[in-house]
Amino acid sequence: MKYSKQIIASLERNIQNLPCNPENPFEKIELGISYCQKSLKKLRHRILAHGFPSPEVECQFFKHIKPKALGYLIYFLYLSDFEMSKPKTTSKKLKSFTQQYITDYQNYFLEHKEFYLYLMRNRIDRDCEYFLRSQGVVKFHSDALPYCMDNEFSTSHDFIAAKIFAHNLLIEHLNKELILSHNSLSTENRTPYNIPWTGTKTDLIELMYALHETGAINNGNTEIKELADFFQLVFKIDLGEYYRTYIEIRTRKINPTKFLDRMKNNLLTRITEADN
C-alpha cells in the first residue's frame, strides 16, 4: 500500500508541475494523460504481482488509490473534449456552453446519488460490496464495463468513484474558467453595502434554488451559477460547492425545505402579532 501511495503522490506532483499555456491547453492535457497511464500501469503491475494482505487493504486501494489515478486520466480526457468542442465565438455563448458542461457533470452525481452520498459521508459499511473484486455485482449500466472487461484490476464501483473524482475536478476547473474569462463584475460595480449573511450556507442555498425555481428573478432566465455569484458578492460569502449541498437538501428525509418553512412561519407570526 505504501508503494501505491507513493505512485499517487508522484503523479500529483507531476500534475501540479504541468505547463500552463492558455494558448495551447493540449500540451498540458497530453502530458497529464501520459503521467496517468504510466501510474495506472505501475499500479496494475504491482497489484497483480503481489496482491493484497487483507480485504481491508484491497478496499482501501480500490476506494482511494486507483480512483485517483484513473480519475485524473478521465479528467484530462474529458478536458480535451471540452477544449475541442467549445465555441470560438462570443463570450456569452462560451459561458452558456461551459455552464452546460458543468450541469452535465453535476447530473452524474444525481445519477449515482446513493453511491455519491456514501463516498461524501465517508461511510465504510458497504466497502466490501463496492470495492472487493470478488464481491462485485454487475449492474446494467455502462460504467460496469471496466469491471466486466478486467475484474482482476477493477471492482464494481471503482470506475464510478473515479468519475466522481474526475467530475469534481472538472467542475472546479470550469468554474475557475468562468471567473477568469468573465470577471463578471468590475471593481466599480461592486456593491457598496456591507450586509453579511448570518444564516447558514445551506439556508442561503435553499433560498437560492427556491428563487430560481419560482422564476422570481429575471423571469427565471438566470442560471444557478449566476445566482450563486450574485449572492456570494452581495452577502460576501463563499458558498463553496453549492451543487453538493443542494443534493444533500434533496435527500433530507424530514422537512427538505426547513429554512423556507421557518421563514414562512416567522412572517406569519409577525403578521398575526401586528394585527393584535
Side-chain angles (χ1 to χ4, degrees):
M1 195 69 167
K2 182 179 179 181
Y3 177 75
S4 298
K5 289 181 178 179
Q6 289 173 344
I7 291 175
I8 296 299
S10 176
L11 171 62
E12 292 186 319
R13 282 195 299 271
N14 287 333
I15 290 174
Q16 288 173 0
N17 293 325
L18 284 172
C20 185
N21 180 6
E23 300 301 319
N24 182 19
F26 294 101
E27 178 186 4
K28 176 178 180 179
I29 290 170
E30 288 175 3
L31 275 173
I33 289 173
S34 177
Y35 289 143
C36 293
Q37 288 177 316
K38 290 176 182 177
S39 297
L40 284 166
K41 186 176 181 179
K42 289 179 183 178
L43 290 171
R44 178 185 171 82
H45 180 268
R46 178 76 178 186
I47 296 313
L48 296 188
H50 299 280
F52 298 100
S54 68
E56 290 76 19
V57 175
E58 180 175 349
C59 286
Q60 286 295 303
F61 176 84
F62 286 108
K63 186 177 184 179
H64 298 293
I65 302 296
K66 184 191 170 187
K68 270 198 172 182
L70 183 56
Y72 280 119
L73 177 59
I74 295 170
Y75 165 76
F76 286 116
L77 289 171
Y78 282 18
L79 188 57
S80 67
D81 172 68
F82 172 82
E83 291 293 342
M84 286 188 291
S85 303
K86 71 181 184 181
K88 305 295 190 293
T89 55
T90 64
S91 59
K92 184 176 181 180
K93 287 186 177 180
L94 178 58
K95 179 179 180 181
S96 177
F97 178 83
T98 304
Q99 288 173 334
Q100 184 57 55
Y101 263 72
I102 291 173
T103 299
D104 291 342
Y105 294 140
Q106 291 172 350
N107 286 341
Y108 188 78
F109 303 149
L110 294 174
E111 184 180 352
H112 297 281
K113 181 174 67 175
E114 179 183 354
F115 181 64
Y116 174 81
L117 291 174
Y118 179 88
L119 293 178
M120 293 303 104
R121 292 171 179 169
N122 296 315
R123 287 171 52 188
I124 60 172
D125 51 291
R126 299 182 68 179
D127 277 7
C128 290
E129 174 187 345
Y130 293 145
F131 302 111
L132 278 185
R133 293 167 294 176
S134 61
Q135 295 191 26
V137 178
V138 177
K139 297 183 178 180
F140 299 114
H141 194 284
S142 59
D143 287 339
L145 184 62
Y147 181 60
C148 294
M149 295 180 63
D150 184 10
N151 58 16
E152 289 186 321
F153 191 57
S154 300
T155 71
S156 62
H157 282 70
D158 73 309
F159 184 71
I160 302 175
K163 285 188 75 172
I164 288 173
F165 177 77
H167 284 204
N168 276 320
L169 291 176
L170 288 159
I171 291 167
E172 181 182 357
H173 174 80
L174 295 183
N175 274 325
K176 287 180 180 178
E177 286 282 303
L178 286 174
I179 293 171
L180 290 174
S181 61
H182 297 293
N183 277 327
S184 56
L185 292 174
S186 60
T187 303
E188 61 269 19
N189 288 330
R190 292 184 181 273
T191 175
Y193 301 106
N194 183 19
I195 306 176
W197 178 265
T198 54
T200 68
K201 291 182 182 181
T202 301
D203 289 345
L204 184 55
I205 291 167
E206 184 180 323
L207 176 62
M208 179 178 73
Y209 274 89
L211 288 170
H212 180 266
E213 291 307 310
T214 58
I217 296 178
N218 196 24
N219 294 316
N221 295 318
T222 302
E223 298 290 336
I224 284 291
K225 172 67 171 61
E226 293 176 292
L227 283 179
D229 290 343
F230 174 75
F231 281 131
Q232 289 179 121
L233 175 66
V234 170
F235 293 121
K236 296 178 174 58
I237 186 172
D238 180 6
L239 291 177
E241 296 178 328
Y242 48 85
Y243 56 89
R244 284 191 187 181
T245 305
Y246 173 61
I247 292 173
E248 293 177 359
I249 290 172
R250 286 185 54 179
T251 58
R252 289 174 182 166
K253 297 190 180 298
I254 300 175
N255 196 12
T257 57
K258 60 183 181 181
F259 178 64
L260 297 177
D261 292 343
R262 189 166 77 248
M263 286 177 59
K264 176 183 176 182
N265 291 334
N266 289 353
L267 179 57
L268 288 173
T269 299
R270 176 168 181 164
I271 291 172
T272 301
E273 290 175 350
D275 290 338
N276 293 335

